[in-house]
Amino acid sequence: MKRKINHYLIIDGYNIINAWDGLKQIAQNDLDGAREKLIDTIIDYAEFSGQKAIIVFDAYNIKSCKEKIEKRKNITIVYTKEYQTADSYIEKFIGSLSR
């Protein structure tokens, strides 16, 4: 029996915002706007490519923040809990795929 392989595009949201000049410029005055622009871009890409996309925004320094997972169209947006980096969330998620 063949096992179906899912392909994921997993994105550290703030790393991309800080790496893309246009998003970085928006984020200087409107971080929410930069996040939404990135989310819209990834929704379009995921629809085009057929990949499942996950964008992770960390809340490492936000007091008492709980993990929040949001579904939009064909992507998942994750806001990590306090003291959890996007990197640690992504590592844990990738580790779960092999199970």
Side-chain angles (χ1 to χ4, degrees):
M1 174 159 115
K2 278 193 175 182
R3 186 171 170 205
K4 185 178 182 216
I5 297 174
N6 290 318
H7 295 274
Y8 290 92
L9 173 63
I10 305 171
I11 298 158
D12 182 329
Y14 292 127
N15 278 356
I16 297 300
I17 286 172
N18 289 314
W20 286 4
D21 290 337
L23 292 177
K24 188 175 186 176
Q25 197 169 26
I26 294 168
Q28 290 174 352
N29 298 313
D30 184 10
L31 184 57
D32 287 337
R35 276 194 300 258
E36 287 303 315
K37 178 81 171 154
L38 175 60
I39 290 166
D40 290 342
T41 301
I42 299 306
I43 285 172
D44 290 345
Y45 178 78
E47 287 177 347
F48 174 77
S49 69
Q51 287 183 312
K52 294 180 180 185
I54 301 168
I55 304 173
V56 182
F57 295 106
D58 61 41
Y60 186 80
N61 291 318
I62 299 176
K63 297 285 180 212
S64 304
C65 189
K66 294 184 179 357
E67 180 178 287
K68 178 181 166 193
I69 298 175
E70 180 181 330
K71 302 274 187 181
R72 285 203 212 166
K73 295 194 177 184
N74 55 347
I75 72 165
T76 302
I77 303 150
V78 177
Y79 300 89
T80 67
K81 61 187 174 187
E82 181 182 13
Y83 301 123
Q84 185 178 27
T85 64
D87 288 344
S88 68
Y89 182 93
I90 291 167
E91 289 171 8
K92 184 178 175 183
F93 176 77
I94 290 171
S96 75
L97 294 176
S98 65
R99 292 184 210 131

